[in-house]
Amino acid sequence: MSGPGSTVLNRALLGAVGLVLSLFGAGPLASASPWPVSLPAWWPLSAPDAPLVGTDGPARLLAREWWPYAVAAASAVMIAGCLLWWAGTLRRGTRSRVPLTHADTALRVRALSRAVTREVAAVDGVASCRTRVTGRRLRLRLRIDVTLRPGGTPEAVLPALDSVVARTELLLVPRTVRAEVRFRGRPAAAPRLR
């Protein structure tokens, strides 16, 4: 999954699975606890010494012809889904090189990041800068973290940042470049007394 809501969805699914596993794991603890806790009738463990799976349940299931095939098919579907999800998370990262308009010409993402960082750091009012380039094939995203000098304002720096992003977008013409700028202020150093 990718997109703005994918992190929230991934965390929600992970939390739901963790909650279900925690509830089922708390069952044996609750049945062995000294407090009067009663578990539902359908709960697999009704006593501390009760087996998790009885002997009659698997024997009944194995007597049916469709059961092993259903287990094998469900396992194959789950494994295929996990592999697809894993492959999607591997693809999500940015490529190490971005092809340019000319044939056989590519720009390393790290070099692009360093160039944008150098240009932004040269802007008057900027103390330091960090740039991260992410995105996919035709849509790149620049995340620029700017630390302003004492007394510097974002309004004074934004026009220069806009021109840096516009030049970067011209360089990567078939791709769209979206920039996200975060400003931090560096407080003025207090004089020290000796």
Side-chain angles (χ1 to χ4, degrees), residues 84-129:
L84 285 173
W85 172 78
W86 181 65
T89 59
L90 289 179
R91 266 189 330 153
R92 202 171 298 144
T94 305
R95 295 178 171 182
S96 62
R97 295 181 183 268
V98 177
L100 297 177
T101 54
H102 301 292
D104 299 334
T105 308
L107 178 66
R108 287 185 329 175
V109 171
R110 187 177 294 166
L112 175 65
S113 174
R114 286 179 184 164
V116 171
T117 299
R118 221 174 283 135
E119 280 196 51
V120 172
V123 171
D124 190 35
V126 174
S128 65
C129 172

mmCIF file of all heavy atoms in Angstrom, residues 84-129:
data_model
loop_
_atom_site.group_PDB
_atom_site.id
_atom_site.type_symbol
_atom_site.label_atom_id
_atom_site.label_comp_id
_atom_site.label_asym_id
_atom_site.label_seq_id
_atom_site.Cartn_x
_atom_site.Cartn_y
_atom_site.Cartn_z
ATOM 1 N N LEU A 84 3.199 -10.537 -1.734
ATOM 2 C CA LEU A 84 2.848 -9.347 -2.519
ATOM 3 C C LEU A 84 2.990 -8.073 -1.691
ATOM 4 O O LEU A 84 3.477 -7.047 -2.174
ATOM 5 C CB LEU A 84 1.429 -9.472 -3.063
ATOM 6 C CG LEU A 84 1.251 -10.428 -4.238
ATOM 7 C CD1 LEU A 84 -0.225 -10.589 -4.569
ATOM 8 C CD2 LEU A 84 2.016 -9.925 -5.443
ATOM 9 N N TRP A 85 2.555 -8.140 -0.435
ATOM 10 C CA TRP A 85 2.697 -6.983 0.439
ATOM 11 C C TRP A 85 4.172 -6.653 0.639
ATOM 12 O O TRP A 85 4.578 -5.495 0.585
ATOM 13 C CB TRP A 85 2.024 -7.256 1.780
ATOM 14 C CG TRP A 85 2.282 -6.198 2.799
ATOM 15 C CD1 TRP A 85 1.689 -4.972 2.881
ATOM 16 C CD2 TRP A 85 3.241 -6.254 3.852
ATOM 17 N NE1 TRP A 85 2.217 -4.271 3.931
ATOM 18 C CE2 TRP A 85 3.165 -5.037 4.549
ATOM 19 C CE3 TRP A 85 4.136 -7.211 4.279
ATOM 20 C CZ2 TRP A 85 3.959 -4.761 5.639
ATOM 21 C CZ3 TRP A 85 4.929 -6.932 5.372
ATOM 22 C CH2 TRP A 85 4.831 -5.724 6.040
ATOM 23 N N TRP A 86 4.997 -7.678 0.873
ATOM 24 C CA TRP A 86 6.422 -7.471 1.080
ATOM 25 C C TRP A 86 7.074 -6.894 -0.171
ATOM 26 O O TRP A 86 7.897 -5.984 -0.088
ATOM 27 C CB TRP A 86 7.069 -8.793 1.473
ATOM 28 C CG TRP A 86 8.524 -8.694 1.730
ATOM 29 C CD1 TRP A 86 9.148 -7.998 2.722
ATOM 30 C CD2 TRP A 86 9.560 -9.301 0.969
ATOM 31 N NE1 TRP A 86 10.503 -8.136 2.624
ATOM 32 C CE2 TRP A 86 10.784 -8.941 1.552
ATOM 33 C CE3 TRP A 86 9.571 -10.120 -0.149
ATOM 34 C CZ2 TRP A 86 11.993 -9.367 1.053
ATOM 35 C CZ3 TRP A 86 10.785 -10.551 -0.637
ATOM 36 C CH2 TRP A 86 11.968 -10.176 -0.035
ATOM 37 N N ALA A 87 6.715 -7.399 -1.341
ATOM 38 C CA ALA A 87 7.272 -6.869 -2.591
ATOM 39 C C ALA A 87 6.852 -5.414 -2.790
ATOM 40 O O ALA A 87 7.628 -4.593 -3.282
ATOM 41 C CB ALA A 87 6.821 -7.722 -3.776
ATOM 42 N N GLY A 88 5.640 -5.078 -2.403
ATOM 43 C CA GLY A 88 5.182 -3.690 -2.505
ATOM 44 C C GLY A 88 5.951 -2.756 -1.591
ATOM 45 O O GLY A 88 6.232 -1.616 -1.948
ATOM 46 N N THR A 89 6.316 -3.224 -0.408
ATOM 47 C CA THR A 89 7.098 -2.371 0.482
ATOM 48 C C THR A 89 8.519 -2.195 -0.031
ATOM 49 O O THR A 89 9.123 -1.159 0.186
ATOM 50 C CB THR A 89 7.154 -2.941 1.911
ATOM 51 O OG1 THR A 89 7.729 -4.245 1.874
ATOM 52 C CG2 THR A 89 5.787 -2.989 2.538
ATOM 53 N N LEU A 90 9.055 -3.184 -0.722
ATOM 54 C CA LEU A 90 10.400 -3.041 -1.291
ATOM 55 C C LEU A 90 10.402 -2.059 -2.453
ATOM 56 O O LEU A 90 11.342 -1.292 -2.632
ATOM 57 C CB LEU A 90 10.922 -4.395 -1.769
ATOM 58 C CG LEU A 90 11.297 -5.392 -0.693
ATOM 59 C CD1 LEU A 90 11.769 -6.682 -1.330
ATOM 60 C CD2 LEU A 90 12.371 -4.827 0.213
ATOM 61 N N ARG A 91 9.350 -2.078 -3.273
ATOM 62 C CA ARG A 91 9.272 -1.192 -4.438
ATOM 63 C C ARG A 91 9.033 0.242 -4.052
ATOM 64 O O ARG A 91 9.283 1.152 -4.824
ATOM 65 C CB ARG A 91 8.111 -1.636 -5.333
ATOM 66 C CG ARG A 91 8.495 -2.551 -6.412
ATOM 67 C CD ARG A 91 7.352 -2.741 -7.339
ATOM 68 N NE ARG A 91 6.083 -2.618 -6.650
ATOM 69 C CZ ARG A 91 4.964 -2.238 -7.213
ATOM 70 N NH1 ARG A 91 4.940 -1.950 -8.473
ATOM 71 N NH2 ARG A 91 3.850 -2.157 -6.538
ATOM 72 N N ARG A 92 8.500 0.466 -2.868
ATOM 73 C CA ARG A 92 8.070 1.795 -2.480
ATOM 74 C C ARG A 92 9.227 2.787 -2.364
ATOM 75 O O ARG A 92 9.056 3.973 -2.467
ATOM 76 C CB ARG A 92 7.333 1.722 -1.145
ATOM 77 C CG ARG A 92 6.436 2.878 -0.914
ATOM 78 C CD ARG A 92 5.573 2.672 0.292
ATOM 79 N NE ARG A 92 4.719 1.526 0.094
ATOM 80 C CZ ARG A 92 4.376 0.695 1.049
ATOM 81 N NH1 ARG A 92 4.802 0.861 2.253
ATOM 82 N NH2 ARG A 92 3.581 -0.330 0.797
ATOM 83 N N GLY A 93 10.407 2.316 -2.117
ATOM 84 C CA GLY A 93 11.558 3.204 -1.960
ATOM 85 C C GLY A 93 11.908 3.915 -3.257
ATOM 86 O O GLY A 93 11.535 3.510 -4.349
ATOM 87 N N THR A 94 12.645 4.983 -3.127
ATOM 88 C CA THR A 94 13.065 5.743 -4.290
ATOM 89 C C THR A 94 14.206 5.019 -4.987
ATOM 90 O O THR A 94 15.044 4.408 -4.350
ATOM 91 C CB THR A 94 13.529 7.136 -3.840
ATOM 92 O OG1 THR A 94 12.483 7.735 -3.103
ATOM 93 C CG2 THR A 94 13.859 8.010 -5.008
ATOM 94 N N ARG A 95 14.230 5.110 -6.281
ATOM 95 C CA ARG A 95 15.334 4.534 -7.032
ATOM 96 C C ARG A 95 16.611 5.286 -6.697
ATOM 97 O O ARG A 95 16.595 6.436 -6.286
ATOM 98 C CB ARG A 95 15.064 4.653 -8.526
ATOM 99 C CG ARG A 95 13.885 3.857 -8.963
ATOM 100 C CD ARG A 95 13.678 4.087 -10.427
ATOM 101 N NE ARG A 95 12.684 3.167 -10.928
ATOM 102 C CZ ARG A 95 12.338 3.114 -12.185
ATOM 103 N NH1 ARG A 95 12.902 3.909 -13.056
ATOM 104 N NH2 ARG A 95 11.430 2.258 -12.588
ATOM 105 N N SER A 96 17.737 4.636 -6.940
ATOM 106 C CA SER A 96 19.003 5.303 -6.657
ATOM 107 C C SER A 96 19.374 6.292 -7.758
ATOM 108 O O SER A 96 20.162 7.188 -7.542
ATOM 109 C CB SER A 96 20.115 4.274 -6.482
ATOM 110 O OG SER A 96 20.281 3.549 -7.682
ATOM 111 N N ARG A 97 18.794 6.137 -8.943
ATOM 112 C CA ARG A 97 19.063 7.046 -10.061
ATOM 113 C C ARG A 97 17.738 7.506 -10.681
ATOM 114 O O ARG A 97 16.800 6.734 -10.777
ATOM 115 C CB ARG A 97 19.907 6.371 -11.128
ATOM 116 C CG ARG A 97 21.287 6.017 -10.643
ATOM 117 C CD ARG A 97 22.077 5.369 -11.761
ATOM 118 N NE ARG A 97 23.373 4.957 -11.307
ATOM 119 C CZ ARG A 97 24.462 5.712 -11.390
ATOM 120 N NH1 ARG A 97 24.386 6.907 -11.922
ATOM 121 N NH2 ARG A 97 25.608 5.271 -10.955
ATOM 122 N N VAL A 98 17.737 8.739 -11.135
ATOM 123 C CA VAL A 98 16.572 9.297 -11.816
ATOM 124 C C VAL A 98 16.984 9.560 -13.265
ATOM 125 O O VAL A 98 17.906 10.347 -13.516
ATOM 126 C CB VAL A 98 16.112 10.611 -11.152
ATOM 127 C CG1 VAL A 98 14.945 11.208 -11.912
ATOM 128 C CG2 VAL A 98 15.743 10.378 -9.713
ATOM 129 N N PRO A 99 16.347 8.902 -14.248
ATOM 130 C CA PRO A 99 16.711 9.163 -15.641
ATOM 131 C C PRO A 99 16.302 10.574 -16.053
ATOM 132 O O PRO A 99 15.243 11.064 -15.696
ATOM 133 C CB PRO A 99 15.933 8.113 -16.430
ATOM 134 C CG PRO A 99 15.007 7.465 -15.488
ATOM 135 C CD PRO A 99 15.353 7.871 -14.105
ATOM 136 N N LEU A 100 17.182 11.213 -16.809
ATOM 137 C CA LEU A 100 16.903 12.566 -17.305
ATOM 138 C C LEU A 100 16.335 12.488 -18.719
ATOM 139 O O LEU A 100 16.135 11.409 -19.270
ATOM 140 C CB LEU A 100 18.182 13.402 -17.258
ATOM 141 C CG LEU A 100 18.745 13.609 -15.853
ATOM 142 C CD1 LEU A 100 20.046 14.382 -15.918
ATOM 143 C CD2 LEU A 100 17.755 14.310 -14.960
ATOM 144 N N THR A 101 16.090 13.647 -19.337
ATOM 145 C CA THR A 101 15.431 13.672 -20.642
ATOM 146 C C THR A 101 16.286 13.089 -21.749
ATOM 147 O O THR A 101 15.784 12.506 -22.687
ATOM 148 C CB THR A 101 15.039 15.109 -21.011
ATOM 149 O OG1 THR A 101 16.198 15.928 -20.933
ATOM 150 C CG2 THR A 101 13.965 15.625 -20.098
ATOM 151 N N HIS A 102 17.604 13.248 -21.665
ATOM 152 C CA HIS A 102 18.483 12.710 -22.692
ATOM 153 C C HIS A 102 18.668 11.210 -22.474
ATOM 154 O O HIS A 102 18.690 10.735 -21.348
ATOM 155 C CB HIS A 102 19.846 13.411 -22.659
ATOM 156 C CG HIS A 102 19.747 14.883 -22.863
ATOM 157 N ND1 HIS A 102 19.359 15.427 -24.058
ATOM 158 C CD2 HIS A 102 19.951 15.918 -22.025
ATOM 159 C CE1 HIS A 102 19.356 16.741 -23.953
ATOM 160 N NE2 HIS A 102 19.705 17.066 -22.727
ATOM 161 N N ALA A 103 18.809 10.480 -23.562
ATOM 162 C CA ALA A 103 19.011 9.037 -23.453
ATOM 163 C C ALA A 103 20.345 8.757 -22.766
ATOM 164 O O ALA A 103 21.322 9.474 -22.944
ATOM 165 C CB ALA A 103 18.998 8.404 -24.838
ATOM 166 N N ASP A 104 20.377 7.720 -22.002
ATOM 167 C CA ASP A 104 21.576 7.277 -21.284
ATOM 168 C C ASP A 104 22.114 8.310 -20.298
ATOM 169 O O ASP A 104 23.298 8.333 -19.998
ATOM 170 C CB ASP A 104 22.696 6.888 -22.268
ATOM 171 C CG ASP A 104 22.276 5.749 -23.177
ATOM 172 O OD1 ASP A 104 21.403 4.963 -22.751
ATOM 173 O OD2 ASP A 104 22.803 5.647 -24.294
ATOM 174 N N THR A 105 21.264 9.172 -19.813
ATOM 175 C CA THR A 105 21.675 10.161 -18.823
ATOM 176 C C THR A 105 20.820 9.973 -17.586
ATOM 177 O O THR A 105 19.599 9.950 -17.670
ATOM 178 C CB THR A 105 21.498 11.596 -19.351
ATOM 179 O OG1 THR A 105 22.140 11.706 -20.605
ATOM 180 C CG2 THR A 105 22.070 12.597 -18.390
ATOM 181 N N ALA A 106 21.484 9.819 -16.448
ATOM 182 C CA ALA A 106 20.764 9.631 -15.196
ATOM 183 C C ALA A 106 21.438 10.452 -14.109
ATOM 184 O O ALA A 106 22.628 10.750 -14.178
ATOM 185 C CB ALA A 106 20.721 8.164 -14.814
ATOM 186 N N LEU A 107 20.667 10.813 -13.133
ATOM 187 C CA LEU A 107 21.159 11.596 -12.004
ATOM 188 C C LEU A 107 20.946 10.784 -10.741
ATOM 189 O O LEU A 107 19.848 10.265 -10.506
ATOM 190 C CB LEU A 107 20.397 12.926 -11.929
ATOM 191 C CG LEU A 107 20.738 13.862 -10.784
ATOM 192 C CD1 LEU A 107 22.167 14.374 -10.929
ATOM 193 C CD2 LEU A 107 19.762 15.024 -10.764
ATOM 194 N N ARG A 108 21.992 10.673 -9.952
ATOM 195 C CA ARG A 108 21.840 9.959 -8.687
ATOM 196 C C ARG A 108 20.962 10.783 -7.750
ATOM 197 O O ARG A 108 21.066 12.007 -7.685
ATOM 198 C CB ARG A 108 23.199 9.726 -8.032
ATOM 199 C CG ARG A 108 24.023 8.680 -8.708
ATOM 200 C CD ARG A 108 25.276 8.405 -7.956
ATOM 201 N NE ARG A 108 25.740 9.610 -7.255
ATOM 202 C CZ ARG A 108 26.763 9.645 -6.438
ATOM 203 N NH1 ARG A 108 27.432 8.567 -6.194
ATOM 204 N NH2 ARG A 108 27.130 10.763 -5.854
ATOM 205 N N VAL A 109 20.102 10.080 -7.021
ATOM 206 C CA VAL A 109 19.193 10.758 -6.102
ATOM 207 C C VAL A 109 19.982 11.454 -5.001
ATOM 208 O O VAL A 109 19.650 12.568 -4.585
ATOM 209 C CB VAL A 109 18.175 9.746 -5.523
ATOM 210 C CG1 VAL A 109 17.366 10.358 -4.412
ATOM 211 C CG2 VAL A 109 17.264 9.239 -6.619
ATOM 212 N N ARG A 110 21.056 10.835 -4.546
ATOM 213 C CA ARG A 110 21.880 11.439 -3.502
ATOM 214 C C ARG A 110 22.530 12.731 -4.010
ATOM 215 O O ARG A 110 22.626 13.719 -3.285
ATOM 216 C CB ARG A 110 22.942 10.448 -3.048
ATOM 217 C CG ARG A 110 23.721 10.941 -1.849
ATOM 218 C CD ARG A 110 24.699 9.914 -1.371
ATOM 219 N NE ARG A 110 23.984 8.764 -0.864
ATOM 220 C CZ ARG A 110 24.540 7.593 -0.609
ATOM 221 N NH1 ARG A 110 25.819 7.406 -0.853
ATOM 222 N NH2 ARG A 110 23.835 6.591 -0.138
ATOM 223 N N ALA A 111 22.973 12.747 -5.283
ATOM 224 C CA ALA A 111 23.564 13.956 -5.852
ATOM 225 C C ALA A 111 22.520 15.065 -5.979
ATOM 226 O O ALA A 111 22.809 16.240 -5.715
ATOM 227 C CB ALA A 111 24.189 13.645 -7.215
ATOM 228 N N LEU A 112 21.302 14.702 -6.376
ATOM 229 C CA LEU A 112 20.221 15.689 -6.454
ATOM 230 C C LEU A 112 19.929 16.266 -5.079
ATOM 231 O O LEU A 112 19.776 17.478 -4.915
ATOM 232 C CB LEU A 112 18.967 15.044 -7.046
ATOM 233 C CG LEU A 112 17.713 15.897 -7.093
ATOM 234 C CD1 LEU A 112 17.905 17.081 -8.023
ATOM 235 C CD2 LEU A 112 16.520 15.060 -7.537
ATOM 236 N N SER A 113 19.887 15.404 -4.077
ATOM 237 C CA SER A 113 19.631 15.856 -2.714
ATOM 238 C C SER A 113 20.723 16.800 -2.233
ATOM 239 O O SER A 113 20.443 17.846 -1.634
ATOM 240 C CB SER A 113 19.526 14.640 -1.793
ATOM 241 O OG SER A 113 19.423 15.027 -0.459
ATOM 242 N N ARG A 114 21.978 16.459 -2.511
ATOM 243 C CA ARG A 114 23.085 17.322 -2.089
ATOM 244 C C ARG A 114 23.056 18.663 -2.825
ATOM 245 O O ARG A 114 23.341 19.709 -2.234
ATOM 246 C CB ARG A 114 24.418 16.628 -2.344
ATOM 247 C CG ARG A 114 24.700 15.519 -1.368
ATOM 248 C CD ARG A 114 26.010 14.862 -1.674
ATOM 249 N NE ARG A 114 26.232 13.733 -0.795
ATOM 250 C CZ ARG A 114 27.122 12.786 -1.010
ATOM 251 N NH1 ARG A 114 27.878 12.830 -2.102
ATOM 252 N NH2 ARG A 114 27.265 11.793 -0.172
ATOM 253 N N ALA A 115 22.727 18.643 -4.110
ATOM 254 C CA ALA A 115 22.680 19.890 -4.880
ATOM 255 C C ALA A 115 21.581 20.818 -4.359
ATOM 256 O O ALA A 115 21.803 22.024 -4.200
ATOM 257 C CB ALA A 115 22.468 19.581 -6.362
ATOM 258 N N VAL A 116 20.408 20.262 -4.095
ATOM 259 C CA VAL A 116 19.311 21.095 -3.567
ATOM 260 C C VAL A 116 19.683 21.613 -2.182
ATOM 261 O O VAL A 116 19.442 22.785 -1.857
ATOM 262 C CB VAL A 116 17.991 20.284 -3.539
ATOM 263 C CG1 VAL A 116 16.910 21.038 -2.801
ATOM 264 C CG2 VAL A 116 17.547 19.969 -4.955
ATOM 265 N N THR A 117 20.307 20.768 -1.369
ATOM 266 C CA THR A 117 20.726 21.199 -0.029
ATOM 267 C C THR A 117 21.733 22.342 -0.116
ATOM 268 O O THR A 117 21.627 23.323 0.618
ATOM 269 C CB THR A 117 21.345 20.013 0.737
ATOM 270 O OG1 THR A 117 20.362 18.998 0.859
ATOM 271 C CG2 THR A 117 21.816 20.427 2.116
ATOM 272 N N ARG A 118 22.699 22.223 -1.025
ATOM 273 C CA ARG A 118 23.710 23.268 -1.181
ATOM 274 C C ARG A 118 23.068 24.585 -1.626
ATOM 275 O O ARG A 118 23.422 25.652 -1.138
ATOM 276 C CB ARG A 118 24.749 22.810 -2.206
ATOM 277 C CG ARG A 118 26.151 23.172 -1.793
ATOM 278 C CD ARG A 118 27.198 22.605 -2.720
ATOM 279 N NE ARG A 118 27.386 21.190 -2.459
ATOM 280 C CZ ARG A 118 27.472 20.261 -3.399
ATOM 281 N NH1 ARG A 118 27.412 20.591 -4.664
ATOM 282 N NH2 ARG A 118 27.656 19.007 -3.080
ATOM 283 N N GLU A 119 22.127 24.518 -2.579
ATOM 284 C CA GLU A 119 21.478 25.749 -3.059
ATOM 285 C C GLU A 119 20.634 26.398 -1.978
ATOM 286 O O GLU A 119 20.631 27.613 -1.828
ATOM 287 C CB GLU A 119 20.605 25.444 -4.279
ATOM 288 C CG GLU A 119 21.397 25.339 -5.559
ATOM 289 C CD GLU A 119 20.481 25.430 -6.770
ATOM 290 O OE1 GLU A 119 19.671 26.369 -6.838
ATOM 291 O OE2 GLU A 119 20.582 24.540 -7.620
ATOM 292 N N VAL A 120 19.911 25.575 -1.222
ATOM 293 C CA VAL A 120 19.057 26.146 -0.172
ATOM 294 C C VAL A 120 19.915 26.704 0.955
ATOM 295 O O VAL A 120 19.609 27.760 1.519
ATOM 296 C CB VAL A 120 18.061 25.081 0.353
ATOM 297 C CG1 VAL A 120 17.305 25.592 1.559
ATOM 298 C CG2 VAL A 120 17.086 24.692 -0.744
ATOM 299 N N ALA A 121 21.014 26.037 1.289
ATOM 300 C CA ALA A 121 21.882 26.517 2.366
ATOM 301 C C ALA A 121 22.556 27.835 1.989
ATOM 302 O O ALA A 121 22.940 28.610 2.873
ATOM 303 C CB ALA A 121 22.929 25.473 2.703
ATOM 304 N N ALA A 122 22.691 28.114 0.689
ATOM 305 C CA ALA A 122 23.306 29.368 0.246
ATOM 306 C C ALA A 122 22.341 30.549 0.299
ATOM 307 O O ALA A 122 22.769 31.695 0.133
ATOM 308 C CB ALA A 122 23.843 29.210 -1.177
ATOM 309 N N VAL A 123 21.068 30.289 0.541
ATOM 310 C CA VAL A 123 20.073 31.364 0.601
ATOM 311 C C VAL A 123 20.308 32.194 1.860
ATOM 312 O O VAL A 123 20.590 31.654 2.934
ATOM 313 C CB VAL A 123 18.642 30.766 0.586
ATOM 314 C CG1 VAL A 123 17.603 31.834 0.858
ATOM 315 C CG2 VAL A 123 18.384 30.074 -0.727
ATOM 316 N N ASP A 124 20.175 33.500 1.725
ATOM 317 C CA ASP A 124 20.362 34.403 2.860
ATOM 318 C C ASP A 124 19.269 34.161 3.894
ATOM 319 O O ASP A 124 18.083 34.150 3.575
ATOM 320 C CB ASP A 124 20.334 35.851 2.366
ATOM 321 C CG ASP A 124 20.758 36.815 3.446
ATOM 322 O OD1 ASP A 124 21.633 36.453 4.254
ATOM 323 O OD2 ASP A 124 20.199 37.931 3.490
ATOM 324 N N GLY A 125 19.666 33.960 5.133
ATOM 325 C CA GLY A 125 18.710 33.723 6.217
ATOM 326 C C GLY A 125 18.617 32.257 6.615
ATOM 327 O O GLY A 125 17.953 31.922 7.586
ATOM 328 N N VAL A 126 19.279 31.361 5.870
ATOM 329 C CA VAL A 126 19.234 29.930 6.171
ATOM 330 C C VAL A 126 20.526 29.550 6.888
ATOM 331 O O VAL A 126 21.622 29.801 6.394
ATOM 332 C CB VAL A 126 19.064 29.092 4.884
ATOM 333 C CG1 VAL A 126 19.170 27.612 5.185
ATOM 334 C CG2 VAL A 126 17.741 29.413 4.226
ATOM 335 N N ALA A 127 20.383 28.923 8.053
ATOM 336 C CA ALA A 127 21.558 28.478 8.803
ATOM 337 C C ALA A 127 22.017 27.108 8.318
ATOM 338 O O ALA A 127 23.205 26.877 8.115
ATOM 339 C CB ALA A 127 21.245 28.424 10.292
ATOM 340 N N SER A 128 21.080 26.188 8.138
ATOM 341 C CA SER A 128 21.419 24.848 7.634
ATOM 342 C C SER A 128 20.197 24.255 6.953
ATOM 343 O O SER A 128 19.080 24.754 7.101
ATOM 344 C CB SER A 128 21.901 23.940 8.763
ATOM 345 O OG SER A 128 20.855 23.713 9.684
ATOM 346 N N CYS A 129 20.443 23.178 6.226
ATOM 347 C CA CYS A 129 19.358 22.564 5.458
ATOM 348 C C CYS A 129 19.638 21.078 5.295
ATOM 349 O O CYS A 129 20.793 20.658 5.195
ATOM 350 C CB CYS A 129 19.268 23.245 4.093
ATOM 351 S SG CYS A 129 18.144 22.434 2.963
#
